[in-house]
Amino acid sequence: MNRIRIGVLSTAKIGRTKVIPAMQRAAGCEVAAIASRNAQSARKAAEELNIPKAFESYEALLADPDIDAVYIPLPNHLHVHWSLAAMDAGKHVLCEKPIGLDTGEAQTLLDAAEAHPELKVMEAFMYRHHPQWIRAQELALSGAIGRMTTIQSFFSYFNADPGNIRNMADIGGGGLMDIGCYNISLSRFLFGSEPDRVAGFADVDPEFGTDRVFSGMMDFGGRVSAFTCSTQLADYQRVNIFGTDGRIEILIPFNAPPDEPCSILLQKGAAGGIETITFDVCDQYALQAELFARAILDDTDVPTPLTDALDNMHVLETLRRSADLGEWVAC
């Protein structure tokens, strides 16, 4: 076998517009089926995206012996349930972030995955696979900016639609769950460790009950990462990595475009000039799919394992607890 046949559970927008087209271009992947609770939606998506099979239930797709793996872009509260169902059906799993609603769910999934070592289960943090992030991490760890000391990141968009799942508190909505998980992930990725303590600050929407603005600080043994994420501010994203002798700025850190080059800025010295480092056009979703498929084909570890997903969820949960208590909380 030289290609992994992937079935998609849900016709969610992120799948239809970003991930599925990327998977169809990715080496080692074939998008063979898509499922929806609505038969018409499944058939429409299959027709528009040129997918051979359409199923009117997730169970039917999982029962198909011709499907090797599934991609799950369902709402947050369904991630663990359908990941477990997929593993029970003998399918590999690529699941959107965050992996679950809390550490208990993440641990349940990790335990199940460890009981099925023949299956690959991966959280879909696509940004880590983009060359700009690989290069930024290399520069930060190599001493190009001195000793890395502080990270500042911002990620926001505006969505006040009460019918949107991101504004539904009971199914895992809110800024911290939807996009703050990136701010946490990148901090752990760059520092290569877990924070000792965190402080969270939430502005809760009185109608939705979700955090519409969430700011956090993570203390990595004296090195600090500070961030703000929001579902009700102007569209913006940026990451700055500061060291004792310079900084790295990632201009489009999360939604890197698949059809135009990306650049990061490197400043060496307190008053040094700024070097622009530009990367060739690439699709981070396609890179993610290729790495996932290669791990299955070669029987190697996936690049973003469930242990990392559990650790990220633990920090997220601790930040949320800190915001509720109004004080620093140890991790």
Side-chain angles (χ1 to χ4, degrees), residues 145 147-152 240-244 246-248:
I145 58 171
R147 180 178 179 272
M148 183 170 38
T149 60
T150 301
I151 302 167
Q152 293 184 345
N240 270 286
I241 308 160
F242 295 88
T244 54
R247 74 179 176 95
I248 301 163

Side-chain angles (χ1 to χ4, degrees), residues 186-232:
L186 73 88
S187 305
R188 298 173 47 255
F189 177 65
L190 291 170
F191 281 138
S193 62
E194 304 301 324
D196 297 331
R197 58 176 185 155
V198 302
F201 311 87
D203 173 25
V204 177
D205 186 290
E207 178 184 356
F208 303 146
T210 56
D211 53 288
R212 58 188 175 190
V213 181
F214 195 101
S215 295
M217 296 182 68
M218 294 169 278
D219 178 4
F220 292 80
R223 301 185 296 173
V224 174
S225 176
F227 73 90
T228 293
C229 62
S230 175
T231 59
Q232 293 185 34

Side-chain angles (χ1 to χ4, degrees), residues 250-325:
I250 307 177
L251 303 177
I252 313 177
F254 309 117
N255 296 328
D259 53 359
E260 57 185 86
C262 286
S263 297
I264 65 175
L265 307 180
L266 172 62
Q267 178 181 345
K268 291 187 176 182
I274 296 178
E275 175 188 356
T276 300
I277 303 172
T278 301
F279 301 87
D280 292 338
V281 172
C282 69
D283 189 330
Q284 59 189 355
Y285 290 103
L287 294 173
Q288 174 179 256
E290 290 174 4
L291 290 168
F292 177 60
R294 184 47 52 195
I296 297 170
L297 293 168
D298 294 346
D299 192 21
T300 55
D301 293 337
V302 295
T304 312
L306 286 180
T307 50
D308 184 84
L310 175 62
D311 290 340
N312 211 65
M313 181 57 69
H314 172 69
V315 178
L316 188 153
E317 202 169 59
T318 309
L319 277 161
R320 192 160 49 198
R321 186 162 68 251
S322 168
D324 290 340
L325 295 172

Side-chain angles (χ1 to χ4, degrees), residues 111-142:
D111 292 343
E114 289 178 344
H116 291 279
E118 76 282 5
L119 298 176
K120 308 298 179 183
V121 185
M122 175 173 157
E123 186 176 31
F125 263 124
M126 76 297 179
Y127 81 94
R128 287 191 181 184
H129 314 304
H130 196 288
Q132 66 174 353
W133 273 100
I134 296 171
R135 182 62 175 146
Q137 185 192 50
E138 289 174 348
L139 288 167
L141 296 180
S142 70

